[in-house]
């Protein structure tokens, strides 16, 4: 498998900050960003706080949360080129409505280069796009994932579905949320090697577009 050499970032170079619903999600998204934009390797930083809010959060809670995100960004010691905030949609979202709403809220507090990362319905639906890579995490997962050209955004409860599929031969080895960074690492390596998704995912396509926009900004502004 082809590999991409990791670069030593300039201490004064701008960075990308990633916030998530939890540490696993933030680390996973950060790894995907680096895979999709090699120029950012070593410059994408996962942040533990403030954790992202669930879709059901009130407008008041969302505003308070975005203010806290903005405070962290402004306090960062190195300049911040882009911000990525992960939130699972937890429901069908064909048009990316939650992504648009979240980005509007972030820009309202001055984060003009903020991007919402919104897997539909959970980040596990994205792992299903790369079955060969995901199955590398454990031997017992081999041959268990769907390889049809289906719409992964249409999967109901993808986390539970992925756990069920990977636990068929050994329930103790079934996927759990703690496995997400390891799966992300395998998926990132596959992307770096030129792998393409198996099946469709409009939400993943929107994510790739966001990373491309950030990547272009960094290439232009450093």
């Amino acid at each position: 498998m082809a590999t991409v050499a990791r670069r030593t970032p300039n201490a004064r170079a701008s960075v990308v900050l990633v916030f998530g619903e939890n540490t696993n999600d933030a680390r996973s998204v950060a790894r995907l960003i680096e895979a999709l934009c090699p120029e950012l390797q070593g410059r994408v930083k996962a942040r533990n706080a403030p954790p992202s809010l669930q879709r059901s959060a009130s407008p008041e809670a969302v505003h308070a949360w975005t203010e806290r995100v903005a405070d962290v960004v402004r306090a960062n010691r190195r300049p911040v080129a882009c911000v990525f905030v992960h939130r699972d949609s937890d429901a069908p979202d064909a048009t990316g409505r939650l992504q648009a709403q979240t980005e509007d809220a972030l820009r309202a507090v001055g984060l003009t280069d903020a991007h919402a990362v919104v897997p539909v319905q959970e980040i596990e639906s994205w792992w299903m796009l790369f079955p060969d890579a995901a199955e590398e995490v454990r031997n017992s997962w081999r041959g268990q994932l769907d390889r049809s050209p289906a719409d992964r955004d249409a999967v109901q409860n993808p986390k539970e579905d992925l756990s069920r599929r990977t636990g068929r031969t050994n329930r103790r080895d079934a996927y759990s949320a703690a496995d997400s960074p390891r799966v992300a690492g395998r998926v990132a390596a596959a992307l770096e090697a030129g792998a393409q998704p198996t099946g469709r995912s409009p939400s993943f396509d929107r994510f790739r577009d966001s990373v491309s926009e950030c990547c272009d900004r960094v290439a232009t502004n450093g």
Side-chain angles (χ1 to χ4, degrees), residues 15-203:
V15 297
V16 172
L17 299 187
V18 181
F19 300 83
E21 293 187 359
N22 55 59
T23 301
N24 288 333
D25 287 333
R27 289 171 55 199
S28 297
V29 171
R31 187 66 186 91
L32 294 180
I33 293 170
E34 289 187 332
L36 292 170
C37 180
E39 292 84 352
L40 289 175
Q41 288 188 359
R43 298 166 64 179
V44 184
K45 311 298 181 182
R47 290 290 180 259
N48 296 328
S52 301
L53 301 181
Q54 294 184 337
R55 182 175 189 150
S56 58
S58 69
E60 294 77 14
V62 170
H63 179 72
W65 162 66
T66 55
E67 288 280 13
R68 292 194 297 273
V69 172
D71 287 343
V72 172
V73 173
R74 295 181 185 116
N76 199 67
R77 295 181 64 180
R78 289 168 63 179
V80 178
C82 309
V83 176
F84 286 84
V85 176
H86 162 262
R87 299 179 78 187
D88 285 332
S89 74
D90 295 322
D93 190 358
T95 62
R97 182 178 179 184
L98 182 61
Q99 177 178 345
Q101 291 174 336
T102 303
E103 289 177 348
D104 286 346
L106 290 164
R107 288 164 187 166
V109 295
L111 297 178
T112 57
D113 297 298
H115 303 272
V117 181
V118 184
V120 179
Q121 300 182 23
E122 297 168 320
I123 201 167
E124 284 75 15
S125 65
W126 290 1
W127 305 155
M128 294 176 181
L129 289 169
F130 301 92
D132 291 341
E135 288 178 359
E136 290 177 357
V137 172
R138 288 197 176 92
N139 289 334
S140 63
W141 294 7
R142 305 278 181 171
Q144 301 304 312
L145 301 187
D146 182 20
R147 285 167 169 77
S148 71
D151 183 358
R152 307 303 176 202
D153 285 7
V155 176
Q156 297 290 330
N157 301 315
K159 185 179 298 181
E160 288 79 359
D161 188 69
L162 186 57
S163 180
R164 177 183 60 80
R165 290 176 181 273
T166 56
R168 284 170 174 164
T169 61
N170 186 339
R171 190 59 196 167
R172 290 178 299 178
D173 287 346
Y175 172 88
S176 70
D179 293 314
S180 192
R182 293 181 62 197
V183 178
R186 298 289 187 173
V187 169
L191 287 167
E192 289 165 347
Q196 295 300 314
T198 298
R200 303 184 305 280
S201 172
S203 66

